[in-house]
């Protein structure tokens, strides 16, 4: 790899970051660039009989450029200042002319990009009067008038296009933030719902087990502790990602989110609640993307949480089937069936569908194959999931 200090792209990105943080630097840079452009007629050799390039003319030209430093703060006021100094130059001095109205174009672009419709209308009316007057003071030719109208109209159009692009970027950023908030809310729901459900079941069984089977009570309390620690670890991971830029957490370790390898531990914690869980895998288990592994883990976690909370089941079965470049996840139980689904207030099944759809898959939930119990079935096409993840 080359030295980043000599990489033009690195310098470009560094400059963009600096000007985004401090726009005044960009405005000063634009003013200096325009100053360099308007200086050229004063330094190039001049034809015999051409107006002289005096220091007074150059100073007034610089005074025309100087207001551009404040173009963002008061674009319409800067426009009037530029028009006043330009008119003074044309009336009071007979100095070198400019091939383009650089300062006027920059101000018109700024007004079009940053100002509301009322100020843009005022700018348009001012230009309708100022452009013909400027042409009359200079050459009084239809050619210059046509050219001036064209370049000012182009500057205005470019400014409106910039405003449209910035609006689109802001809308997309807001949508991305909303999607991220929804994803975090879904993760938090799955983590807390699963952990709290298992802890409640274990806590309710604890007093009975203390009297009847102390060893079972000890196992229940151990399961409560393990479930709580696991939930805290996952929450710390999520909060660490959210505060990744903070000084306090920048150096903290980042553990990956749970995936397929974490399923056995999840099933063991659920078994600790008294629910018998059968785990089966079929098909050729090829490589699975991390994003798909997280989705499978959360789907199984949420489905088993619903079984523990609502199904009153004795046995649950988790099946993972790899077939035809597709991963199918099936979680079924022998409980109360459709009556176990909460009528309102539940977000688990909705979250499962959203997770499957994010990978181009599908999710379905309903009574078991023989009409008994309840099952959740999720299909994820692995090729499409890889493309979505990329």
């Amino acid at each position: 790899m080359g030295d980043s200090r000599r990489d033009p792209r690195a310098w470009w990105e560094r400059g963009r970051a600096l000007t985004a943080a401090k726009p005044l630097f960009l405005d000063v840079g634009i003013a200096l660039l325009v100053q360099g452009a308007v200086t050229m007629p004063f330094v190039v050799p001049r034809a015999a009989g051409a107006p002289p390039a005096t220091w007074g003319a150059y100073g007034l030209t610089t005074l025309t450029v100087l207001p551009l430093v404040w173009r963002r703060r008061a674009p319409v006021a800067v426009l009037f200042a530029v028009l006043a100094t330009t008119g003074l130059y044309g009336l009071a001095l007979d100095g070198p002319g400019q091939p383009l109205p650089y300062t006027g174009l920059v101000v018109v672009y700024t007004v079009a990009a940053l100002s509301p419709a009322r100020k843009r209308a005022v700018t348009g009316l001012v230009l309708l009067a100022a452009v013909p007057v400027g042409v009359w003071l200079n050459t009084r030719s239809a050619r210059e008038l046509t050219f001036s109208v064209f370049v000012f109209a182009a500057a205005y159009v470019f400014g409106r296009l910039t405003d449209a692009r910035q609006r689109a970027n802001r809308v997309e950023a807001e949508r991305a933030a909303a999607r991220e908030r929804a994803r975090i809310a879904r993760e938090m729901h799955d983590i807390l719902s699963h952990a709290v459900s298992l802890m409640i079941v274990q806590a309710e069984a604890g007093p009975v087990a203390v009297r009847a089977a102390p060893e079972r009570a000890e196992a229940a309390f151990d399961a409560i502790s393990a479930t709580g620690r696991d939930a805290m670890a996952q929450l710390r991971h999520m909060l660490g990602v959210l505060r990744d830029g903070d000084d306090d957490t920048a150096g903290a370790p980042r553990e990956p989110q749970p995936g397929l390898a974490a399923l056995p531990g999840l099933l063991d914690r659920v078994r600790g609640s008294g629910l018998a869980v059968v785990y089966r895998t079929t098909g050729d288990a090829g490589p699975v993307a991390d994003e798909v592994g997280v989705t499978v883990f959360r789907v199984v976690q949420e489905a088993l949480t619903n079984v523990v909370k609502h199904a009153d089941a004795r046995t649950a079965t988790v099946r993972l089937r790899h077939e035809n470049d597709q991963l199918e996840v099936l979680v079924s139980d022998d409980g109360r069936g459709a009556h176990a689904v909460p009528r309102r207030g539940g977000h688990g099944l909705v979250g499962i569908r959203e997770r499957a759809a994010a990978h181009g898959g599908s999710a379905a939930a309903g009574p078991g194959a023989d009409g008994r119990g309840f099952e959740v079935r999720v299909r994820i096409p692995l090729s499409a999931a890889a493309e979505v993840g990329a």
Side-chain angles (χ1 to χ4, degrees):
M1 297 180 62
D3 190 350
S4 61
R5 293 174 296 182
R6 298 181 180 179
D7 188 358
R9 290 176 297 180
W11 280 100
W12 173 256
E13 294 299 331
R14 199 171 303 164
R16 287 185 60 184
L18 178 61
T19 55
K22 297 183 177 181
L24 181 60
F25 287 177
L26 177 61
D27 296 337
V28 171
I30 290 176
L32 292 176
L33 183 63
V34 173
Q35 181 64 35
V38 300
T39 302
M40 296 304 297
F42 288 87
V43 297
V44 297
R46 304 186 55 75
T54 64
W55 282 107
Y58 184 70
L60 189 55
T61 301
T62 302
L63 190 61
T64 304
V65 177
L66 185 61
L68 294 182
V69 176
W70 295 276
R71 68 185 186 94
R72 292 176 186 267
R73 302 179 185 179
V76 176
V78 170
L79 173 65
F80 281 104
V82 168
L83 290 177
T85 52
T86 303
L88 180 61
Y89 184 91
L91 292 173
L93 295 174
D94 188 20
Q98 298 292 335
L100 283 173
Y102 300 106
T103 53
L105 294 177
V106 172
V107 177
V108 170
Y109 168 85
T110 304
V111 171
L114 302 180
S115 298
R118 184 176 178 180
K119 292 185 177 181
R120 296 199 304 269
V122 171
T123 301
L125 293 176
V126 171
L127 290 177
L128 285 178
V131 170
V133 170
V135 173
W136 183 81
L137 291 175
N138 191 21
T139 63
R140 303 182 184 182
S141 66
R143 178 180 180 182
E144 182 184 358
L145 178 62
T146 304
F147 178 75
S148 298
V149 171
F150 173 77
V151 294
F152 278 110
Y156 183 85
V157 170
F158 284 138
R160 297 308 301 150
L161 291 176
T162 299
D163 178 65
R165 178 176 56 82
Q166 292 174 346
R167 288 176 181 270
N169 291 341
R170 286 194 294 268
V171 170
E172 180 57 30
E174 292 172 357
R175 290 177 178 174
R179 290 193 296 267
E180 184 65 11
R181 286 195 297 269
R183 185 192 69 81
I184 293 172
R186 194 163 55 237
E187 295 285 342
M188 297 283 285
H189 168 271
D190 291 351
I191 294 171
L192 294 177
S193 177
H194 175 75
V196 172
S197 298
L198 292 185
M199 293 169 72
I200 289 174
V201 170
Q202 297 287 1
E204 290 176 345
V208 178
V210 167
R211 293 189 295 269
E215 67 281 357
R216 289 182 55 192
E218 183 178 353
F221 294 138
D222 290 341
I224 292 174
S225 176
T227 302
R229 284 195 298 268
D230 178 72
M232 288 298 297
Q234 295 189 52
L235 290 175
R236 279 196 300 268
H237 166 75
M238 292 193 62
L239 294 176
V241 171
L242 290 176
R243 298 186 298 180
D244 197 21
D246 294 352
D247 293 336
D248 294 339
T249 60
R254 294 287 182 267
E255 297 180 359
Q257 290 203 68
L260 295 181
L263 276 179
L266 170 66
L267 303 185
D268 288 339
R269 289 192 297 273
V270 176
R271 292 186 185 106
S273 68
L275 178 68
V277 181
V278 179
Y279 180 41
R280 297 172 181 170
T281 61
T282 59
D284 183 14
V288 176
D290 294 341
E291 294 82 2
V292 176
V294 173
T295 295
V296 172
F297 181 91
R298 295 302 185 199
V299 166
V300 174
Q301 182 184 55
E302 179 59 30
L304 292 178
T305 299
N306 288 337
V307 173
V308 172
K309 291 172 62 177
H310 308 292
D312 192 21
R314 294 185 177 182
T315 303
T317 302
V318 178
R319 295 187 181 92
L320 266 62
R321 184 172 66 179
H322 301 258
E323 184 178 16
N324 298 330
D325 202 22
Q326 177 178 264
L327 177 60
E328 181 184 73
V329 183
L330 177 64
V331 181
S332 59
D333 64 74
D334 59 359
R336 294 185 290 121
H339 300 288
V341 180
R343 293 185 179 272
R344 58 184 179 180
H347 302 282
L349 295 180
V350 175
I352 288 175
R353 294 189 182 96
E354 291 176 349
R355 289 181 183 277
H359 297 288
S362 62
D370 55 357
R372 298 178 55 191
F374 195 79
E375 71 175 26
V376 175
R377 187 186 302 271
V378 173
R379 292 186 175 92
I380 300 177
L382 297 180
S383 57
E387 295 176 1
V388 172

